[in-house]
Amino acid sequence: MASSSSLTLSQAILSRSSIPRHGSTSTSSSLSLPSFSGLKSTSSSAVIRRRGPTTTRLPIRASAAVEILEKTTEAELVEKSVNTIRFLAIDAVEKANSGHPGLPMGCAPMGHILYDEVMRYNPKNPYWFNRDRFVLSAGHGCMLQYALLHLAGYDAVKEEDLTSFRQWGSKTPGHPENFETPGVEVTTGPLGQGIANAVGLALAEKHLAARYNKPGSEIVDHYTYVILGDGCQMEGISNEACSLAGHWGLGKLIAFYDDNHISIDGDTEIAFTETVDTRFEALGWHVIWVKNGNTGYDEIRAAIKEAKAVKDKPTLIKVTTTIGFGSPNKANSYSVHGSALGAKEVEATRKNLGWPYEPFHVPEDVKKHWSRHVPEGAAFEAEWNAKFAEYEKNPFLQAYTPESPGDATRNLSQQNLNALAKVLPGLLGGSADLASSNMTLLKMFGDFQKNTPEERNVRFGVREHGMGAICNGIALHSPGLIPYCATFFVFTDYMRAAMRISALSEAGVIYVMTHDSIGLGEDGPTHQPIEHLASFRAMPNILMLRPADGNETAGAYKVAVLNKKRPSVLALSRQKLPQLPGTSIEGVEKGGYTISDNSSGNKPDVILIGTGSELEIAATAGDELRKEGKAVRVVSFVSWELFDEQSDEYKESVLPAAVTARVSIEAGTTFGWGKIVGAKGKAIGIDRFGASAPAGKIYKEFGITVEAVIAAAKEVC
Amino acid sequence: MASSSSLTLSQAILSRSSIPRHGSTSTSSSLSLPSFSGLKSTSSSAVIRRRGPTTTRLPIRASAAVEILEKTTEAELVEKSVNTIRFLAIDAVEKANSGHPGLPMGCAPMGHILYDEVMRYNPKNPYWFNRDRFVLSAGHGCMLQYALLHLAGYDAVKEEDLTSFRQWGSKTPGHPENFETPGVEVTTGPLGQGIANAVGLALAEKHLAARYNKPGSEIVDHYTYVILGDGCQMEGISNEACSLAGHWGLGKLIAFYDDNHISIDGDTEIAFTETVDTRFEALGWHVIWVKNGNTGYDEIRAAIKEAKAVKDKPTLIKVTTTIGFGSPNKANSYSVHGSALGAKEVEATRKNLGWPYEPFHVPEDVKKHWSRHVPEGAAFEAEWNAKFAEYEKNPFLQAYTPESPGDATRNLSQQNLNALAKVLPGLLGGSADLASSNMTLLKMFGDFQKNTPEERNVRFGVREHGMGAICNGIALHSPGLIPYCATFFVFTDYMRAAMRISALSEAGVIYVMTHDSIGLGEDGPTHQPIEHLASFRAMPNILMLRPADGNETAGAYKVAVLNKKRPSVLALSRQKLPQLPGTSIEGVEKGGYTISDNSSGNKPDVILIGTGSELEIAATAGDELRKEGKAVRVVSFVSWELFDEQSDEYKESVLPAAVTARVSIEAGTTFGWGKIVGAKGKAIGIDRFGASAPAGKIYKEFGITVEAVIAAAKEVC
């Protein structure tokens, strides 16, 4: 099943916009189809490793990082560099009078070693594909990363950015944001998200390496580093993601656990006394303990070396540090976590660490020492090369007619996913243990597993939150990767924090959410979404799509795939639905459109509006009313966000302001529909929890029926 | 700080409505103040154990359960009883053609031993306070519990309930629901919730025992049992809650882990290869492995005995079972997890297990054997006694005038929490590591910890999801307990699944959510809620409250405390807010009300509507417009749900239909406001993500200003 695309891997994965946004949340509608590579994707589940393009290869000098690691810098200069990092953080937080100095002060040594001695990156091209990825999962300590990016020569963080930390329009917001600051890989701050993102980044590396590397041409070959704190460790999401990382044997994931025994409420003894090392061993990780993270540079170096030597397991390096190291009166206390030190304590810390410089000063020798990263980074990138081919657009979406057999949109979804997988080599994903219910298996591929990382069906287990955040990591690893993930729609509640970060960080994850209403029947109210459609319609920069049949499901996938910087949620039915006359892919792209109409002059007597499984009800009610002589327009309102983006003229052509006789029907809350149907219209929905019974019975009991629509229509017109 | 209440512990904790609901989601507005006990609550953080009422005590014969445990039943009868359970499940699923037979077939032995030999309960009063609690965290296996409740003699599950499994109006819905089926403690199905609920139940027991037991009068003394499966184990929430259970040393929590190696997608090998035993040891649990859960009755009995002997740690009993045990062709496969066996396989299973009976038949000797639980249960309850006294209403809420100093509503919240704690001995709770930011510490109490369980400040660590579900367990343990929990409002995304179950299961948890808008400033968009108010307004049976100042915060607490069967979310500001003229506790109780008005005849020129921190903006804009001669009404819209419940007359008196000139202002999404302001009104809000900068700057940049309100008002009127 060779794809006929003609973009090469390198072209595709390099093609990342480097224009950060501020003030814009919408994505361009002129995006082309996602490019990924012209490389063959696998057509069987057999393990065929190291296949790839027959292109010229520039062999990477394999162990550049290791070489650097061995050649350690003069001890005194290292100490000076580490203190530079500490004081950049102290000074920036002090000037902003807001922020978190404690972590940067404690983690400066590991930060220094990573960015100065270990990691391979190109400061002048933060999007160089084969860079090592770094994630600060303890995102509140972002001044650590800003200081490091500054020293390393990234253009995004100049001195004026440090002095405008946390200010309007700066490149140094209060938590790391990939869309603001090139050099930042993912958006962190909400605890635990970052470590899960890192699992996704490491998964992407392992997957791409397995698919595209050839002996002697390891074009995909980087590490993923992450710093996480006690807070991240307590969050359930981190256990979910780290259990998977151990299961998958992500040997190039190296996590530094900043073990400082302090969280916001005080000593971790008050709520966190588990044995983290043992837990990670149970999760299948290699664990190393660096007992002196404050000044034990060689310990840290040795740990990284050991971690790299363990190739079949991710490594947790527990680094015991002192939060706020260097502050004579505030170190090792929660007071240094999230507030400026205050002028007096800053002075005392300067004295204590022997730091005679002005705020924001970088000593010349430190500056000189770090200056090598710009040419070195350029050399890394120059060494790395990749080939070209061209990706060819294919008509890849299924077409349906009213004669096509009716089906559940979850089944139609599977047909589309499988069709897309053939032409989108970067499409991969899976379900949280509901593959056979969500219908998300890519039939021609095997499972992504420890020993079959080139495969494209990811088995997430029952770990929704981890799943979402891992997909964010995959999406932000390479622009050609399109991750999708699936569960029951109601369980978006388990992963909402990760989904919000998809939206915020412009990670175009596709969320395939089946069993989208009371229509799932007997599983009952714990499994029946009610408020979920509204809750995503209210969230910025995420597309909520609820297709009604085959054409609309195809349209929803088209929209989802094209919106690379905006995640999509597809709400799909468990129950079978008929193919409706009038539905279309093009209609879906407009968000709302007329599927049938017997009125003229844009003046129907009544407009019936439905989504998903209830569009059929609206259509049937429309037919009945027409038999009684009414001029009825039936509108599919598959995506409110897309409709909002249409021209006023188009909107008026679908929902003319003069026609106030409107009835909506949707098997979910009526919350939000008031604006669509207006004060004189009527919204039919469910403003209570569901019930356990066969679907048909529940629809009837809750009044989600053709009769109800007809009655409401007669009431309003 | 003796409370002057005069209800006793027993009266209060016994006073549970046993009327399940179906079809009603709202709670009575005539609830009295929550009663808990007349017992002294602690006035210092010193450890004073076993204090309590000076009431007559009936000493419980301590080890009834253990005695029973030792006197095991004739082996053959046990086997027959276990098969009865299996076939009740098989037959019910078969008849419904829907449900999950696999777990009941595998877990029937442990289920039998628990309900027949170990647990203390009173079938005729499922709400007897001192019953052992049982939670089926793997809620899909609910036929196990229904079969057990049926055999034990609970009125809720008669034969006709088994035969109407999963049907409209039955007491046997598709997942266990406490509000439908007396005998079911909590609502489970969404995986991981149940084990976290069980941690809350065990916490409540340990807490109440420490506060009220006296030597020789252990009126609070029960175990909490739970069955959880692989799916629960994978969910992050279970790690969060179990980490806390280990930390707190909840020795009377005994969890059975149904280790059957099968989840929906197949063998757990595909996604779950961690060493669960070791992880639980790392979490501070005692771990036992029962290798033969299918027929090893004595192994199970011995494990329970051992678990009870370990008093300072919770116990995980890993029970290796075969899913669908007894089915010759489907056992040990995912196909038996969630579908009826089918007539042929049912027949084969009957043959295989030697079961000659008709569907739903309970053999006479089994029936006879179980029949002793009704008199035994009555005896248990009769043995257990408690005292009466009467709880006296106190004016407990703070009052504020415009002269009172301005303050952040999170600080006003703390004043109210501390005032309430004095008069509500059942109020306990805490924060997910943000106590000093959420302002939730009860100053006169110490921390609930392993050795100070009588204290009332719970330290949840950074575990929002676990926190919410633990609070559900506390709320459903005793009607007198009022749990509250806190984090930043945006992080409701981490715990939304638990909050939804609060709403569904009528657990009146109080969610104290601070930093409720862009007003939190520099922490930036990851920390700034936008869509969250709308998302909870859309959720059934939960109150979303956003108070504007001191009086409104007091009112919000009054509402929250009075709504015992409906959880409340309080959105509170980080920033200081002035005390506004016209606000009132009574106003809050109505959801929306006029705080100032210079119009007459219910015909203002314009109505300005605000919530929380933006009510001040609306009020100031109103003053300005009045200076220009306008007749302006300013409305506080603190809770949409409460306003919806008012009479049409009242609603018309606040928002007269004839006045279409309306402007709303809220620092969040405008989604949903369309219905309030109408087609001719204007909603001012934020339909994008926030930004990192000082709060004042962001308000200005986003146009959440007095000027914007004035301009909009002029536009609409």
Side-chain angles (χ1 to χ4, degrees):
Chain A
M1 180 218 59
S3 110
S4 53
S5 60
S6 46
L7 274 178
T8 61
L9 171 66
S10 64
Q11 190 186 40
I13 55 193
L14 281 166
S15 68
R16 177 160 186 159
S17 159
S18 60
I19 305 159
R21 69 161 162 85
H22 199 109
S24 127
T25 56
S26 73
T27 54
S28 158
S29 59
S30 65
L31 287 168
S32 63
L33 281 177
S35 55
F36 180 74
S37 84
L39 307 174
K40 282 174 185 146
S41 47
T42 177
S43 59
S44 84
S45 62
V47 183
I48 309 166
R49 305 195 65 172
R50 311 223 176 281
R51 63 179 167 273
T54 51
T55 53
T56 327
R57 272 151 256 125
L58 290 192
I60 300 290
R61 226 167 296 133
S63 52
V66 175
E67 275 171 45
I68 296 168
L69 192 62
E70 315 231 308
K71 185 200 70 182
T72 55
T73 319
E74 190 202 331
E76 203 181 315
L77 188 56
V78 170
E79 191 71 26
K80 204 165 175 182
S81 168
V82 167
N83 280 334
T84 304
I85 296 162
R86 289 193 177 113
F87 280 98
L88 286 177
I90 291 169
D91 295 338
V93 172
E94 201 64 22
K95 180 149 192 286
N97 193 24
S98 168
H100 302 75
L103 183 140
M105 294 166 75
C107 292
M110 62 182 110
H112 168 86
I113 290 173
L114 277 175
Y115 270 81
D116 191 50
E117 301 179 9
V118 173
M119 282 169 55
R120 295 192 302 184
Y121 54 87
N122 180 4
K124 297 306 173 197
N125 179 10
Y127 301 115
W128 170 44
F129 170 74
N130 203 39
R131 67 195 181 276
D132 286 332
R133 266 66 169 181
F134 173 78
V135 175
L136 185 65
S137 190
H140 50 273
C142 54
M143 265 312 305
L144 173 70
Q145 194 170 7
Y146 299 148
L148 291 164
L149 293 174
H150 177 64
L151 291 175
Y154 282 79
D155 293 331
V157 189
K158 302 205 176 292
E159 187 179 333
E160 59 264 33
D161 298 295
L162 297 176
T163 56
S164 61
F165 177 53
R166 293 190 151 219
Q167 303 309 301
W168 182 265
S170 83
K171 290 274 157 253
T172 49
H175 289 83
E177 292 165 358
N178 60 308
F179 53 91
E180 291 287 4
T181 318
V184 169
E185 301 289 347
V186 295
T187 293
T188 58
L191 294 174
Q193 299 290 335
I195 175 68
N197 294 161
V199 172
L201 292 168
L203 177 157
E205 195 271 349
K206 181 164 178 157
H207 176 71
L208 293 173
R211 284 175 69 184
Y212 299 112
N213 283 356
K214 300 182 79 168
S217 175
E218 309 208 322
I219 53 170
V220 185
D221 176 24
H222 70 77
Y223 285 88
T224 301
Y225 299 97
V226 56
I227 294 179
L228 72 164
D230 290 304
C232 293
Q233 290 287 18
M234 288 188 246
E235 293 285 6
I237 183 177
S238 65
N239 197 70
E240 293 180 8
C242 291
S243 178
L244 284 169
H247 172 77
W248 290 327
L250 300 179
K252 289 164 92 175
L253 173 62
I254 300 178
F256 295 79
Y257 162 36
D258 177 28
D259 169 48
N260 66 26
H261 283 278
I262 296 294
S263 65
I264 297 178
D265 277 356
D267 195 291
T268 51
E269 283 297 314
I270 65 173
F272 186 52
T273 50
E274 63 177 63
T275 316
V276 175
D277 325 38
T278 311
R279 176 161 61 88
F280 271 77
E281 280 163 6
L283 298 179
W285 286 53
H286 181 67
V287 179
I288 305 169
W289 183 14
V290 170
K291 291 184 185 166
N292 175 9
N294 296 326
T295 57
Y297 301 106
D298 285 339
E299 274 186 75
I300 297 172
R301 291 182 185 112
I304 297 172
K305 211 168 168 178
E306 179 180 333
K308 288 189 170 186
V310 176
K311 297 193 185 305
D312 62 342
K313 288 180 175 187
T315 295
L316 183 81
I317 305 177
K318 175 169 120 172
V319 189
T320 299
T321 69
T322 303
I323 190 171
F325 180 86
S327 160
N329 303 302
K330 294 193 166 179
N332 200 27
S333 89
Y334 69 92
S335 65
V336 78
H337 165 85
S339 313
L341 293 180
K344 209 173 135 190
E345 187 65 13
V346 170
E347 215 32 60
T349 307
R350 281 191 141 69
K351 207 166 164 185
N352 188 41
L353 292 177
W355 198 252
Y357 308 105
E358 288 296 292
F360 298 102
H361 182 75
V362 179
E364 276 312 312
D365 46 353
V366 171
K367 207 177 273 178
K368 183 159 171 281
H369 174 71
W370 279 83
S371 66
R372 76 183 191 289
H373 288 288
V374 169
E376 266 186 21
F380 281 140
E381 182 162 355
E383 271 189 286
W384 186 84
N385 206 352
K387 308 307 130 199
F388 292 80
E390 210 170 281
Y391 178 79
E392 198 173 29
K393 285 183 190 176
N394 278 327
F396 54 81
L397 297 165
Q398 303 285 111
Y400 300 85
T401 67
E403 288 67 43
S404 306
D407 209 343
T409 47
R410 61 172 170 155
N411 294 332
L412 299 161
S413 163
Q414 184 171 43
Q415 295 169 19
N416 279 279
L417 270 178
N418 277 273
L420 286 167
K422 286 182 196 157
V423 292
L424 297 176
L427 186 75
L428 80 167
S431 156
D433 196 44
L434 290 169
S436 51
S437 296
N438 301 141
M439 307 306 290
T440 46
L441 273 190
L442 303 180
K443 294 179 177 174
M444 70 291 277
F445 298 111
D447 286 355
F448 173 93
Q449 291 291 5
K450 186 172 183 174
N451 296 317
T452 51
E454 70 284 2
E455 296 292 351
R456 288 158 64 181
N457 284 304
V458 185
R459 303 291 198 158
F460 289 103
V462 193
R463 303 180 182 97
E464 297 83 5
H465 201 178
M467 174 171 74
I470 288 170
C471 285
N472 284 338
I474 296 171
L476 295 173
H477 183 277
S478 307
L481 290 177
I482 307 175
Y484 67 90
C485 63
T487 182
F488 291 161
F489 189 34
V490 78
F491 297 138
T492 52
D493 285 348
Y494 273 68
M495 56 193 302
R496 196 170 163 89
M499 296 174 78
R500 187 176 207 255
I501 293 198
S502 301
L504 176 62
S505 66
E506 303 176 348
V509 177
I510 302 176
Y511 291 95
V512 180
M513 297 293 152
T514 70
H515 297 59
D516 73 343
S517 76
I518 52 164
L520 64 88
E522 292 89 341
D523 272 340
T526 51
H527 286 53
Q528 292 165 351
I530 295 291
E531 69 278 17
H532 299 74
L533 291 165
S535 79
F536 286 107
R537 288 172 184 150
M539 188 184 280
N541 200 44
I542 194 164
L543 285 169
M544 181 69 246
L545 296 142
R546 189 162 186 253
D549 66 0
N551 287 326
E552 289 205 348
T553 304
Y557 271 103
K558 183 173 180 193
V559 165
V561 162
L562 291 179
N563 276 269
K564 291 165 73 176
K565 297 194 128 198
R566 180 156 59 161
S568 298
V569 186
L570 276 63
L572 303 165
S573 76
R574 171 178 188 260
Q575 69 274 31
K576 282 197 181 189
L577 304 175
Q579 309 296 345
L580 296 171
T583 58
S584 71
I585 292 175
E586 300 69 38
V588 173
E589 293 179 286
K590 294 201 160 75
Y593 66 106
T594 300
I595 64 161
S596 68
D597 194 357
N598 66 331
S599 72
S600 55
N602 202 20
K603 280 185 190 161
D605 297 330
V606 63
I607 303 176
L608 308 181
I609 312 167
T611 77
S613 43
E614 289 72 61
L615 185 59
E616 176 199 1
I617 297 177
T620 309
D623 289 343
E624 295 297 320
L625 288 163
R626 284 174 196 136
K627 285 182 198 157
E628 300 179 23
K630 298 275 186 202
V632 182
R633 174 176 297 170
V634 178
V635 168
S636 171
F637 221 56
V638 56
S639 167
W640 295 25
E641 299 87 350
L642 293 175
F643 186 75
D644 269 350
E645 291 165 13
Q646 304 307 312
S647 67
D648 287 345
E649 292 68 28
Y650 179 76
K651 286 189 232 179
E652 175 69 15
S653 78
V654 178
L655 297 178
V659 182
T660 58
R662 304 178 182 185
V663 175
S664 71
I665 182 157
E666 185 172 74
T669 179
T670 60
F671 190 87
W673 279 102
K675 192 180 172 182
I676 312 293
V677 298
K680 293 179 181 160
K682 225 171 154 67
I684 299 174
I686 306 169
D687 292 314
R688 51 157 289 183
F689 288 111
S692 178
K697 176 73 175 169
I698 311 180
Y699 266 83
K700 207 176 149 192
E701 291 286 343
F702 286 179
I704 311 296
T705 59
V706 171
E707 296 68 39
V709 175
I710 293 172
K714 289 180 176 171
E715 218 174 287
V716 299
C717 73
Chain B
M1 179 217 57
S3 110
S4 53
S5 60
S6 45
L7 275 177
T8 62
L9 172 67
S10 63
Q11 190 186 40
I13 57 194
L14 282 166
S15 66
R16 176 162 187 158
S17 158
S18 60
I19 305 158
R21 68 164 160 83
H22 200 109
S24 127
T25 56
S26 71
T27 53
S28 158
S29 60
S30 64
L31 287 167
S32 62
L33 282 176
S35 56
F36 180 74
S37 85
L39 308 174
K40 280 173 188 151
S41 46
T42 177
S43 59
S44 83
S45 61
V47 184
I48 308 164
R49 305 194 67 169
R50 311 218 179 285
R51 62 179 166 274
T54 50
T55 52
T56 326
R57 271 149 257 128
L58 289 193
I60 301 290
R61 227 166 297 133
S63 51
V66 175
E67 274 170 45
I68 297 167
L69 192 63
E70 316 232 308
K71 185 199 70 182
T72 55
T73 318
E74 191 202 330
E76 204 180 315
L77 188 56
V78 170
E79 192 71 26
K80 202 165 177 183
S81 167
V82 166
N83 280 334
T84 305
I85 297 162
R86 290 194 177 112
F87 281 97
L88 286 177
I90 290 169
D91 296 338
V93 173
E94 201 63 22
K95 177 147 194 284
N97 193 24
S98 168
H100 302 75
L103 183 139
M105 293 165 76
C107 292
M110 62 182 110
H112 168 87
I113 289 173
L114 277 175
Y115 269 81
D116 191 50
E117 302 179 9
V118 173
M119 282 169 54
R120 296 193 301 185
Y121 54 86
N122 181 4
K124 296 307 173 198
N125 179 9
Y127 302 114
W128 170 46
F129 170 74
N130 204 39
R131 68 196 180 275
D132 286 331
R133 267 65 169 181
F134 173 78
V135 176
L136 186 64
S137 189
H140 51 273
C142 54
M143 265 311 305
L144 173 70
Q145 193 170 8
Y146 298 149
L148 291 164
L149 293 174
H150 176 65
L151 291 175
Y154 282 78
D155 293 331
V157 189
K158 302 208 177 289
E159 187 179 336
E160 60 264 33
D161 299 295
L162 297 176
T163 56
S164 60
F165 177 53
R166 293 190 150 218
Q167 303 308 302
W168 181 265
S170 83
K171 291 275 160 250
T172 48
H175 289 84
E177 294 165 357
N178 60 308
F179 53 90
E180 291 288 3
T181 318
V184 169
E185 300 289 348
V186 295
T187 294
T188 57
L191 293 174
Q193 299 290 334
I195 174 67
N197 294 161
V199 172
L201 292 168
L203 177 156
E205 195 270 350
K206 182 164 178 157
H207 176 71
L208 293 173
R211 283 176 69 183
Y212 298 112
N213 284 354
K214 299 184 79 168
S217 173
E218 308 208 322
I219 52 171
V220 184
D221 176 25
H222 70 77
Y223 285 87
T224 301
Y225 300 97
V226 56
I227 294 180
L228 73 164
D230 290 304
C232 294
Q233 290 287 18
M234 289 188 246
E235 292 285 7
I237 182 177
S238 65
N239 196 70
E240 292 181 7
C242 292
S243 178
L244 283 169
H247 172 76
W248 289 327
L250 300 179
K252 289 163 91 174
L253 173 62
I254 299 178
F256 295 79
Y257 161 36
D258 176 28
D259 170 47
N260 65 25
H261 284 278
I262 297 292
S263 66
I264 297 177
D265 277 356
D267 195 290
T268 52
E269 283 296 313
I270 66 172
F272 187 53
T273 50
E274 62 176 65
T275 317
V276 175
D277 325 37
T278 311
R279 176 161 63 86
F280 270 76
E281 279 163 8
L283 298 180
W285 286 54
H286 181 67
V287 179
I288 305 169
W289 184 14
V290 170
K291 292 183 186 167
N292 175 9
N294 296 326
T295 58
Y297 301 107
D298 285 339
E299 274 186 75
I300 297 172
R301 292 182 183 111
I304 297 171
K305 209 167 172 180
E306 179 180 334
K308 288 190 169 184
V310 176
K311 296 194 185 303
D312 61 342
K313 289 179 174 187
T315 295
L316 183 81
I317 304 177
K318 175 169 120 171
V319 189
T320 300
T321 69
T322 302
I323 190 170
F325 180 86
S327 159
N329 304 302
K330 294 194 167 180
N332 200 29
S333 90
Y334 69 91
S335 64
V336 78
H337 165 84
S339 313
L341 293 181
K344 209 173 133 189
E345 186 65 13
V346 170
E347 215 33 60
T349 308
R350 281 191 143 69
K351 205 164 168 187
N352 187 40
L353 292 177
W355 198 252
Y357 308 105
E358 288 297 290
F360 298 103
H361 181 76
V362 179
E364 276 312 313
D365 46 354
V366 171
K367 207 176 271 180
K368 181 156 174 283
H369 175 71
W370 280 82
S371 68
R372 77 185 191 288
H373 288 288
V374 170
E376 265 186 22
F380 281 140
E381 182 163 354
E383 269 189 287
W384 186 84
N385 205 353
K387 307 310 130 198
F388 291 81
E390 210 171 281
Y391 179 79
E392 198 174 27
K393 284 183 192 176
N394 277 328
F396 54 82
L397 297 164
Q398 304 284 111
Y400 300 85
T401 67
E403 289 66 43
S404 305
D407 210 343
T409 46
R410 61 173 169 154
N411 295 331
L412 299 161
S413 162
Q414 183 169 44
Q415 295 169 19
N416 278 280
L417 270 177
N418 276 272
L420 287 167
K422 286 182 196 159
V423 292
L424 296 176
L427 186 76
L428 80 167
S431 157
D433 196 44
L434 290 169
S436 51
S437 296
N438 302 141
M439 309 304 291
T440 46
L441 274 188
L442 302 179
K443 293 178 178 176
M444 70 290 277
F445 299 111
D447 285 356
F448 173 92
Q449 291 290 5
K450 186 171 181 173
N451 296 318
T452 51
E454 71 283 3
E455 296 292 351
R456 288 158 63 182
N457 284 305
V458 185
R459 304 291 198 158
F460 290 103
V462 192
R463 302 181 182 94
E464 296 84 5
H465 201 177
M467 173 171 74
I470 288 169
C471 284
N472 284 339
I474 297 171
L476 295 173
H477 183 277
S478 306
L481 289 177
I482 307 174
Y484 67 90
C485 63
T487 183
F488 291 161
F489 189 33
V490 79
F491 297 138
T492 52
D493 286 348
Y494 274 68
M495 56 194 301
R496 195 169 164 92
M499 295 174 78
R500 187 177 208 254
I501 292 196
S502 300
L504 175 62
S505 66
E506 303 176 348
V509 178
I510 302 176
Y511 290 95
V512 180
M513 296 293 152
T514 71
H515 297 59
D516 73 343
S517 77
I518 52 164
L520 63 87
E522 291 90 340
D523 272 340
T526 51
H527 285 54
Q528 291 164 353
I530 295 290
E531 68 278 17
H532 298 73
L533 291 165
S535 80
F536 287 107
R537 288 173 185 150
M539 188 183 281
N541 201 44
I542 194 165
L543 285 169
M544 180 69 247
L545 296 144
R546 189 163 186 252
D549 66 359
N551 287 327
E552 289 205 348
T553 304
Y557 270 103
K558 183 173 180 192
V559 167
V561 162
L562 290 179
N563 275 270
K564 291 166 75 177
K565 297 194 130 197
R566 180 157 59 162
S568 298
V569 186
L570 276 64
L572 303 165
S573 76
R574 171 177 188 258
Q575 69 273 30
K576 281 197 180 186
L577 303 175
Q579 308 298 345
L580 295 171
T583 60
S584 71
I585 292 175
E586 299 70 37
V588 173
E589 293 179 286
K590 294 201 159 79
Y593 66 107
T594 300
I595 65 162
S596 68
D597 195 357
N598 66 331
S599 72
S600 55
N602 202 19
K603 281 185 191 162
D605 298 330
V606 64
I607 303 175
L608 308 180
I609 311 166
T611 77
S613 42
E614 290 71 61
L615 186 60
E616 175 199 0
I617 297 177
T620 309
D623 289 343
E624 295 297 320
L625 287 163
R626 284 175 197 135
K627 284 182 198 157
E628 299 179 23
K630 298 275 188 204
V632 183
R633 174 176 298 171
V634 179
V635 168
S636 171
F637 221 56
V638 56
S639 168
W640 295 25
E641 299 88 351
L642 292 175
F643 186 74
D644 270 351
E645 291 166 13
Q646 304 306 312
S647 67
D648 288 345
E649 293 69 27
Y650 179 76
K651 288 189 230 179
E652 175 70 13
S653 78
V654 178
L655 298 178
V659 182
T660 58
R662 303 177 182 185
V663 175
S664 71
I665 182 158
E666 184 172 75
T669 180
T670 59
F671 190 87
W673 278 102
K675 191 178 172 183
I676 312 292
V677 298
K680 294 181 181 158
K682 225 172 154 70
I684 299 174
I686 306 170
D687 292 314
R688 48 156 291 182
F689 288 111
S692 176
K697 175 73 174 170
I698 311 180
Y699 266 83
K700 207 175 149 191
E701 291 286 343
F702 285 179
I704 311 296
T705 59
V706 172
E707 296 70 37
V709 175
I710 293 173
K714 289 179 176 171
E715 219 174 288
V716 300
C717 73

